Amino acid sequence: MGITVNEAMVVAIIVESILYGLLIFLFGVTLWALTYQRTSAEISRLMLGAACLLFILGTMRLVVDANHLWQGFITSGDPDLFFQDVTKYTLKNSLYVIETLVGDAIIIYRGYVLWRRIGIVIIPIIGWIAIVVTGTHATLSISQLSTTNANVLYERQAAQWVLSFYSTALATNLVATGLLTLKLWTGHRNEVGLQRATRKSLVHPILIIVMECGAVYSLTLITLLSTYVYASNGVYIMTDVIGQVIPITFCVIIVRTAMLRFERDRGRGLPLSTLTYPMSHQISTHNSMRVQVNRVRVVESDLDLSELSHRGDALDASASLMDTKSELPTINIGRAV
């Protein structure tokens, strides 16, 4: 026997509350990571604003769900009849659509920052626009359904738009995350080729966390899509879960990146955002006095892994990271994460 709507609502609020507690902790760490030991000019306002917006949306989701549960079991007098009215989920569905749009927009932006080519991310951008259309129509379709039977949620009138929305969101996220992962993987391979054997790639931890967060979100969305296709009331649980997963995965990437920056500040491993390479020039005077000038070029960009070409004529053998004829490939993820 499948789970009833009433049971699904109780389970959903419990799971959502647990995830929201995790979100509160991660949001606090994210704010600290984005602002700690940074001037106002160094703070990424875009990422800070996105983190605050996603946290507000996640909070609103929990408040709406808690109020819905209170009205259904306490004030309505007939929980069964109350929860059969799917039109009450209009605000909740709207918040979910907005969360999806914000989350996917961030991923697309990250991909654009890394690739630096609008043509690369044109497909995810088209998918994002499709999410706007399908999400809006899905929300409106559900708001116009019957108020006496929750099963109408799975009927053709609303199902075609709901399925289109879920499918488009999944495809867009997979493509955008795939492009981001591909660029990070390329940077990881290039960096590994230049590092000494005892040193680790700085891109690798970011690559892993992006892949893991993308996998968590995609699997959650696939589960949500599956429960809806099979007309299971578990869709109510998964809808509440994914509403907290989106901001959580965003914060996890920011926190993991900040951990690398703090390790750099404590002097562990390679500098995370500073790439140094010496350039040596010798000057001969008419008195045959040789003067050697060593210059170190520093590129500071807070985990800035943008591609830089080689400069200089000679490198110290004991400190060089590459040959003078080679390039120093690295990828810019400072603003991307």
Side-chain angles (χ1 to χ4, degrees):
M1 182 178 179
I3 188 173
T4 65
V5 177
N6 296 9
E7 294 169 343
M9 290 298 176
V10 175
V11 174
I13 195 66
I14 294 174
V15 176
E16 185 179 14
S17 298
I18 295 174
L19 292 176
Y20 182 73
L22 176 61
L23 174 60
I24 293 177
F25 169 75
L26 288 174
F27 177 67
V29 177
T30 299
L31 293 182
W32 176 73
L34 289 173
T35 59
Y36 179 69
Q37 291 184 344
R38 289 185 174 183
T39 64
S40 58
E42 295 173 336
I43 296 175
S44 175
R45 290 177 174 78
L46 179 61
M47 291 302 161
L48 182 61
C52 293
L53 177 58
L54 287 174
F55 178 75
I56 292 173
L57 291 173
T59 302
M60 292 178 64
R61 282 289 303 269
L62 182 64
V63 171
V64 170
D65 291 338
N67 180 64
H68 195 209
L69 198 70
W70 175 269
Q71 291 180 354
F73 286 105
I74 305 300
T75 63
S76 67
D78 189 349
D80 293 330
L81 181 60
F82 180 86
F83 289 116
Q84 291 299 318
D85 183 6
V86 294
T87 62
K88 291 185 173 66
Y89 304 116
T90 301
L91 177 57
K92 176 179 177 178
N93 293 334
S94 300
L95 292 174
Y96 171 49
V97 172
I98 296 174
E99 270 189 322
T100 302
L101 292 173
V102 173
D104 287 346
I106 293 170
I107 297 177
I108 294 172
Y109 168 77
R110 285 168 171 166
Y112 171 73
V113 169
L114 294 187
W115 286 95
R116 296 292 184 179
R117 293 170 58 186
I118 191 65
I120 295 293
V121 296
I122 192 64
I123 294 179
I125 291 176
I126 294 175
W128 189 86
I129 296 174
I131 293 175
V132 175
V133 176
T134 56
T136 302
H137 278 279
T139 302
L140 293 177
S141 298
I142 294 176
S143 66
Q144 297 172 358
L145 295 177
S146 171
T147 61
T148 59
N149 184 8
N151 291 329
V152 296
L153 181 64
Y154 309 105
E155 294 181 356
R156 182 177 178 82
Q157 180 181 356
Q160 57 184 356
W161 285 111
V162 174
L163 290 175
S164 297
F165 169 67
Y166 289 156
S167 301
T168 304
L170 177 61
T172 302
N173 180 264
L174 288 176
V175 173
T177 304
L179 291 173
L180 185 62
T181 302
L182 176 61
K183 191 62 173 176
L184 289 172
W185 179 80
T186 303
H188 165 65
R189 290 291 301 273
N190 291 339
E191 187 181 357
V192 167
L194 297 172
Q195 297 284 13
R196 297 175 181 177
T198 57
R199 292 175 174 174
K200 297 181 180 180
S201 167
L202 299 177
V203 184
H204 185 260
I206 306 300
L207 171 63
I208 295 300
I209 199 64
V210 168
M211 293 178 60
E212 290 176 347
C213 289
V216 169
Y217 175 72
S218 297
L219 288 175
T220 306
L221 192 53
I222 290 173
T223 304
L224 174 60
L225 181 60
S226 300
T227 54
Y228 186 83
V229 169
Y230 289 100
S232 170
N233 289 325
V235 70
Y236 295 101
I237 301 176
M238 295 310 303
T239 301
D240 290 351
V241 167
I242 202 170
Q244 303 301 327
V245 166
I246 293 175
I248 285 176
T249 52
F250 172 82
C251 291
V252 166
I253 294 176
I254 297 294
V255 172
R256 184 65 184 94
T257 305
M259 289 173 61
L260 296 179
R261 178 167 64 90
F262 298 147
E263 289 177 3
R264 173 205 65 185
D265 294 339
R266 288 194 298 267
R268 300 185 197 170
L270 286 175
L272 182 62
S273 64
T274 304
L275 177 63
T276 65
Y277 53 97
M279 294 184 291
S280 177
H281 299 277
Q282 292 184 345
I283 304 174
S284 297
T285 67
H286 65 281
N287 291 326
S288 299
M289 180 171 54
R290 300 169 64 89
V291 179
Q292 180 169 306
V293 179
N294 291 319
R295 184 168 49 142
V296 176
R297 181 176 180 80
V298 180
V299 180
E300 179 68 41
S301 57
D302 185 26
L303 194 58
D304 202 24
L305 302 174
S306 60
E307 289 193 351
L308 299 174
S309 4
H310 70 284
R311 294 183 183 177
D313 302 319
L315 296 174
D316 188 329
S318 63
S320 63
L321 297 178
M322 62 178 180
D323 185 80
T324 53
K325 295 182 180 180
S326 66
E327 292 186 351
L328 186 59
T330 180
I331 304 176
N332 184 349
I333 59 174
R335 289 182 300 166
V337 296

